[in-house]
Structure formats: structure tokens, C-alpha cells
Amino acid sequence: MVSLWGSKNGESNHNDEDHDEEHNGEGSRPTSRPARREPDERTQLLPPSRAGFLDPDDPAVSPYNLWSVRALRYFSILFLIITFLWWVLLLVSIFVSPPMLHTRGSGFFDFSFTTLTAGILLSGILFFSAPSRAMEITSLIIGVLLIVDVIIITVTARLRFEEGWVGIASVIWAAIMAIYLVLVERVVAWGKKEEEERLTGRQETKRSLKEWLAVLSSTIIMIVMIVVVVLLTATLILRARDASLQPSGERWYVDNDKYEVHVACMGSITFNDAGERNPTVLVESGEMPFEDTFDDWVYGAYQNGTIDRYCYWDRPGMAFSDNAPSPHSAGMSADALSEALAQAGEQGPWVLVSAGIGGIYSRIFSARHVGEISGIFLIDAMHEDLLYRIGSPGRGFLLWARGVISPLGWDRLPAALFKGRTREDRVYGRSAYQGGKYIKQQLQESLVANSLTKSEVSQSRHIQSKDTPLVVVSSGISIRTDEEWAAKQEDLTKITDNLIAWETVNGAPHEVWRTFEGRAILEAKLKQLVKA
């Protein structure tokens, strides 16, 4: 019994152990399944490896595993597309001003800021997966400098008017994108660290050669951008300094208040013995602003009593006048002058004095005010048949290229620092040609010179009164060195049938008044024309 019970108990115990092994052994199935976790940004996109941690060089070890990092990349691409569309719109507006997008300045600054923004975003996208402290610091520096630019533009009234909402929005957008790039760098660096710790077991402190090249390239590009922003800021400071220079006359809104032009008059209104108003000399400058050197001999004639009164203006984009919308022809400028003179209360009769390309503008103005013109004085003036010289495509492209880089101040800054150029030099003097407004004016002039402007001046020749007294003074140097110019100077003496005089100053350059002999002849012939 005992042995039997013992045997039976042992067998029972043995069977129980076998039963336990059957249910609890390694090959047994689990009695319950763990609950499945909902996917989040830590969820690995690729299936987990059964061999433990991944190799650091495995493509699966990437910050792109996190949805927040992927979202930032998509946002960067979206911002780049928006910036590119804005860049294209600003590029087009240089040549044809869309409604509401005209700026009273050159438009080259907002184009430069938008180009900078595109460069910042493109760099961030190209080196997105290789974040670095250098990229973060340089982006922050750029953002701070751009905020300084925003402050300079908004607190300086003249800059604020010239740049308008287009320029202000462009620089603010650039500043926001620079700060945004700092955020991107931090988030990507955090995501990279998180994924390395999760998939490799530790954060990688070493970079591959490919990553080092990416960091080096991005750092060089961002340093170049810092230099660009520093130059833009320095040029803005110069412009703010120049804005403190006040004009001698008044600015008047023209063309439905789209822009302002500067008109100034010197002297008092006088009357002859018959009680008729004596003519006022209306001066149109040549290739440079009137205040540069043209003013010297005209003011001298006024001081000497040769003339009693004279008025002058700055064409759109020159000196104290704003840039006009594009396209802009000589006839449009003549209409702007007429509107400004009317607002200023100025009226004829006029004796029109002009030099170089200014002769085109004066002749159109004369044809549109036939009853108010007492005389025309042309000083080595351009003929309409020679407008192709300033309207060539090559010249237009060079002017556009100069305008695009003009915000960098590559010539204005060294001149101000090392050559002592003053604000007078930059606004209307010998350095005026370096400014964006002047370059934009020259570009506008070039774009329509051989089309709209030539058509307008050709029409004016038929409308011009043939009885108007005419004086032509030519540069002897220009006539001797340019046969076509000489022939066209002779043709200019025939625009009316009342030629008072045609003088050639042998030793004088294109700007005849720069020589003593030229200035004496100009003053004598002006007196003769006024008294005619």
C-alpha cells in the first residue's frame, strides 16, 4: 500500500511537473498579448532590428523619423516657393510696375533682400540633415542685422517713403526667415540626438567626412551672407544720412500721387515796358542732375543780370525726385513737369535751356506748350536719331546688373570712407551715378529710348512752332570725334525756322560749360535769346 501509494504519488508528481513544463517552457505560447501602443513621433518608420542597436551609419538612423522634423522641412520648402514667387514679381516690377507694387525708390533694395531670403532658405534646405552650431550662430547674426535694417528704414521718413510697404515687407520677411532657420537648426539637432540615442544606444559625437564637408560649405555660405547683410546695412546708413539733405525747392506729387518731383525757382517775376511778363528760363539738365555742375553757369548768368529768373527740376529718379513707375518715357516726364509747375503756381512764357539728353525732354515739353515757349536753347543736345545709343540691349543689361548690386555699396562705401565723398556728392554730385535711384532712372530711359521716347520726340518735331527762336551750341570735341553727332547737330538747327545762332566751342567737351570759353559763349547766347 505504502509502496503503491508512494509509486502513485511519485507518478502523479512527475506528471504534474511534465504538465508544468509543457505550459511554462520556452516553447510555450504566451497566455496573453501586450497592448499595442499608438504610433507617435518616436515610432520607428522601419521595422525594428532583431540584432539589437543599429549601426550609426545606417540610413534608418535619421532625424527624418520624427514628424516634427519632416514638417519643418516641408515648411522650409513652402517658404522658399513663396519667396521665389515674390522674387519673380519684384524682378518684373523693375521693368513693368504692377498695380500697388510701385515703390518711390529704385526697387533694388527689396529685390536684394528677397534674393538674400531665398539664399538663406535654400542653404537651410540643402544642409537640413547636417545641423551645426556655426549655422545657428551665423543665422542669428543675419537675423539681428536684418532687424537693424528694419529699424533704419522705418525710423527714417525718407527711406520709409521710398521703400514703401513692398520694401519694408521684404526686409521683415528676410529677418523672420533668418530667425526661423535658427529654430530649424535646433529642432533638427534635437531630433538627430533623439534618434541616435534610441537606435544606436548613444549620441554620436563624431561626424563623417560627408557631414564635415556639409558643415564647412554651409558655414562659408552663411559667412558670405553675413558680409552681404553688413554691406546692405552700411548702405542703408549712408542713405539715411543722405536723406537729411534738404532740397532748395519743393517736392510735388504727380501722376495721381504716385511719386514726387523736385522743382525750384530762383529770382523774381519781372515785366517789360509793355507790362508783359518777362520769360522765365526753364532748365533741363543733361546726363547728370542740374545741381552737379550745370547750376554753376546758370546761377552765374542770374548773378550777372543776364536773366531775371530761372526754374529747374530733377527728372524722376534724379537728385531729390522719386523714381517713377515703369515704363517711363520722356513724354511722361514732360507731363510730370507740367503738373508740378501747375501745382507750384509757375507759368510761362518759358525759355527752355537743355543739354545732352535733356534736349529730348525740352523739345517734347515745347511741343506740348506751344503758346508758352519764347525760345529754345540746345547745348550739345542729343538728336532723336541717336537714341539707339542709349537704348541698346547691352547697355540696358549692364544698367540692370549695376542696379542689382548697387545696394551693396561696393563703390559708394569706399568713396565715403576713403575719398571723403559727402552727402551732396551722393545725392546730386559726382557720386550720384552710383545710387540706385539714378541707375533705375537710366534703365527706364534706356528701355524706351528707341521706341516710346523716339516716337514722342518725332511727333513733337511736327507740332513744334516754326517761329520759335532757336540757339544751338555744340561741343567742338564731340563734332571732331563723331561725324554722326556733327551731322545731327546741324539737323537740330532746323527744328524751327528761326535760328538765332549756332556756335561750336572748339576746345569744349560734351559739357560745354566746363570750360571758360564755353561758359562765356553760353551766357552771351542766352542773353541774346532772352532779349530776342
Side-chain angles (χ1 to χ4, degrees), residues 4-20:
L4 177 62
W5 279 106
S7 173
K8 186 175 181 178
N9 290 341
E11 183 179 1
S12 175
N13 291 340
H14 177 74
N15 291 338
D16 289 342
E17 290 176 2
D18 290 345
H19 181 75
D20 291 342

Side-chain angles (χ1 to χ4, degrees), residues 366-423:
S366 174
R368 297 181 180 183
H369 300 79
V370 175
E372 303 177 37
I373 307 304
S374 296
I376 300 176
F377 194 151
L378 300 178
I379 305 172
D380 210 36
M382 173 165 283
H383 194 280
E384 62 266 27
D385 291 341
L386 300 180
L387 284 171
Y388 71 90
R389 295 185 177 183
I390 66 173
S392 65
R395 181 174 183 270
F397 176 78
L398 290 177
L399 285 170
W400 175 80
R402 278 184 56 203
V404 169
I405 64 175
S406 63
L408 299 178
W410 60 276
D411 48 3
R412 305 187 83 189
L413 293 174
L417 293 175
F418 306 115
K419 296 182 179 180
R421 297 289 188 263
T422 63
R423 55 183 183 170

Side-chain angles (χ1 to χ4, degrees), residues 18-50:
D18 290 345
H19 181 75
D20 291 342
E21 289 178 0
E22 179 180 355
H23 286 278
N24 298 326
E26 293 182 358
S28 65
R29 292 185 178 181
T31 58
S32 63
R33 295 178 178 271
R36 180 180 296 274
R37 188 177 64 179
E38 290 296 325
D40 55 21
E41 69 175 13
R42 292 178 175 273
T43 302
Q44 186 177 349
L45 297 181
L46 298 178
S49 172
R50 296 182 179 274

Side-chain angles (χ1 to χ4, degrees), residues 1 101 107 122 201 286 351 473 517 531:
M1 291 289 294
L101 283 180
L122 187 60
V351 172
V473 176
E517 180 187 5
K531 301 301 181 183

Side-chain angles (χ1 to χ4, degrees), residues 62-64 66 68-69 72 127-136 181-197 203-204 207 211:
S62 171
Y64 291 122
L66 304 180
S68 55
V69 174
L72 281 179
F127 306 106
F128 189 85
S129 60
S132 66
R133 178 65 66 177
M135 188 81 159
E136 184 178 331
L181 187 58
V182 176
L183 172 65
V184 169
E185 289 295 305
R186 290 203 168 192
V187 172
V188 174
W190 165 80
K192 188 171 183 294
K193 171 179 173 295
E194 288 288 307
E195 287 302 283
E196 287 174 348
E197 290 180 348
Q203 180 184 1
E204 291 298 319
R207 294 182 183 268
E211 288 179 322

Side-chain angles (χ1 to χ4, degrees), residues 16 58 64 74 82 121 124 141 151 166 170 221 237 262 301 327 330 335 361 368 373 379 441 459 484-485 500 510:
D16 289 342
D58 194 305
Y64 291 122
Y74 295 146
I82 294 173
L121 290 171
I141 293 174
I151 295 173
V166 175
S170 298
I221 291 174
I237 293 173
H262 170 235
D335 291 340
Y361 294 84
R368 297 181 180 183
I373 307 304
I379 305 172
Q441 185 272 334
Q459 292 173 2
E484 188 178 17
W485 185 272
I500 303 299
H510 176 59

